[in-house]
Amino acid sequence: MSASGAPPLPPTHSARARAEQFVWLTARVLEQRRFAYHFLGGSADAVETALTAYRNEDEGYGHALEPDLRGPASQPLHTGHALRVLDSIGRCGGQRAERVCRYLTSVSTRDGSLPATHPSQRGYPAAPFITVVDNPPGDLFATAPVVGLLHRNEVWHAWLFRATDFCWQAVESLERSHPYEIEAAVTFLDSVPDRSRAEAATDRLGRLVREHRLAALDPDRPETYPVSPGYAPGEHHFPHDFARTPDSLARAWFTDEEMTRSLDFLASEQQEDGGWPIARRQWAPGTALESRPIVTIEALRTLDAYGRL
């Protein structure tokens, strides 16, 4: 019997089959629908229907869509999560995107950027590493993925012009950073229309990543790589975290050997119950339970993108 209480599958079963059992056992309806869409021929309509339950009247998303932020209030991080889901099913455009942009306009700062956490979160539970303040500053971590996904889907909106300018200025001025911020920047650079500028900025970020050892290039010796301040002990990031698909600009940062080791490590991280572990700090049992299926689906999608399933 595994830690989840489900009988373990024989070792001959594939990673996907083991993950499927884990998802049906533990996941929210949204992640069940996402797994079915990506790996079982399920419908995009079913995913979108499940996602709609998290949407608020202000056209933002809340209700703990991003598990570390609890409560009903719309938040930029929830909305970014929703856009990733919509993008993954080919539904991140048209009126859906216009509605989201209206919400983003309402919560953005004067320079068009998004705060990581809007003050409307106050009074609701949140991870202890998330701070809630009045008049929060704009944040590249929150803004860049949203802007990148909207560009990827050829969305045009007045807010997007200012937000794009913010991202360019923030990305091109980065001198010290941390893995999550770099990953956010990559999402922006992978899709922003000015490709030559994106390639130049990505090349500079890649040098920064290697110089500051932000990617653990040898998974067998993670202790030799620093963990960024505020991260959980052992919360390392690996090449596959930065280049989630082979066509990402960040793929050029790593040699074939480094990427192979990274993907081998990712595959080996699948647990006995079929799911993948959470690297970041865990602060409540419920959020950990909701997060693991999300991490599991993303791990499978990365392995699938590289032909490893």
Side-chain angles (χ1 to χ4, degrees), residues 100-113:
V100 169
C101 285
R102 288 199 292 270
Y103 163 74
L104 297 174
T105 301
S106 72
V107 297
S108 64
T109 64
R110 290 184 178 180
D111 58 9
S113 62

Side-chain angles (χ1 to χ4, degrees), residues 45-199:
D45 287 344
V47 177
E48 190 167 8
T49 297
L51 181 63
T52 299
Y54 296 88
R55 196 174 75 211
N56 286 320
E57 292 182 1
D58 61 7
E59 302 298 349
Y61 288 77
H63 305 279
L65 177 57
E66 187 67 40
D68 282 334
L69 289 171
R70 314 306 294 181
S74 296
Q75 287 292 320
L77 292 181
H78 292 315
T79 305
H81 189 127
L83 288 175
R84 287 195 298 274
V85 172
L86 291 170
D87 175 70
S88 73
I89 62 173
R91 298 286 180 89
C92 187
Q95 292 185 351
R96 298 175 188 83
E98 290 183 13
R99 290 196 300 262
V100 169
C101 285
R102 288 199 292 270
Y103 163 74
L104 297 174
T105 301
S106 72
V107 297
S108 64
T109 64
R110 290 184 178 180
D111 58 9
S113 62
L114 298 171
T117 309
H118 189 267
S120 59
Q121 183 64 33
R122 184 174 284 110
Y124 298 110
F129 47 83
I130 294 175
T131 58
V132 182
V133 299
D134 294 326
N135 302 312
D139 188 278
L140 183 64
F141 169 69
T143 311
V146 169
V147 174
L149 288 172
L150 292 175
H151 279 304
R152 172 183 167 93
N153 290 274
E154 299 182 343
V155 173
W156 294 103
H157 188 275
W159 171 80
L160 193 56
F161 291 97
R162 291 190 301 138
T164 300
D165 288 341
F166 167 83
C167 290
W168 276 127
Q169 191 280 328
V171 167
E172 293 177 334
S173 63
L174 280 178
E175 295 298 336
R176 298 197 65 86
S177 187
H178 58 92
Y180 287 121
E181 186 173 54
I182 296 291
E183 290 170 21
V186 169
T187 302
F188 168 73
L189 294 170
D190 275 344
S191 298
V192 69
D194 191 337
R195 300 315 298 150
S196 60
R197 189 176 179 183
E199 290 168 4

Side-chain angles (χ1 to χ4, degrees), residues 182-183 185-187 189-190 195 198-199 201-207 209-210 215 217 238-264 302-303 305-308:
I182 296 291
E183 290 170 21
V186 169
T187 302
L189 294 170
D190 275 344
R195 300 315 298 150
E199 290 168 4
T202 304
D203 183 64
R204 192 183 74 83
L205 286 188
R207 293 195 299 272
V209 165
R210 297 188 77 96
L217 302 179
F238 301 89
H240 66 262
D241 292 310
F242 298 96
R244 294 188 175 274
T245 64
D247 58 356
S248 171
L249 291 176
R251 174 62 184 85
W253 297 349
F254 310 107
T255 67
D256 290 347
E257 181 182 2
E258 288 167 347
M259 186 57 70
T260 295
R261 284 201 302 263
S262 182
L263 293 169
D264 287 345
T302 297
L303 291 170
Y306 282 93
R308 297 291 294 264

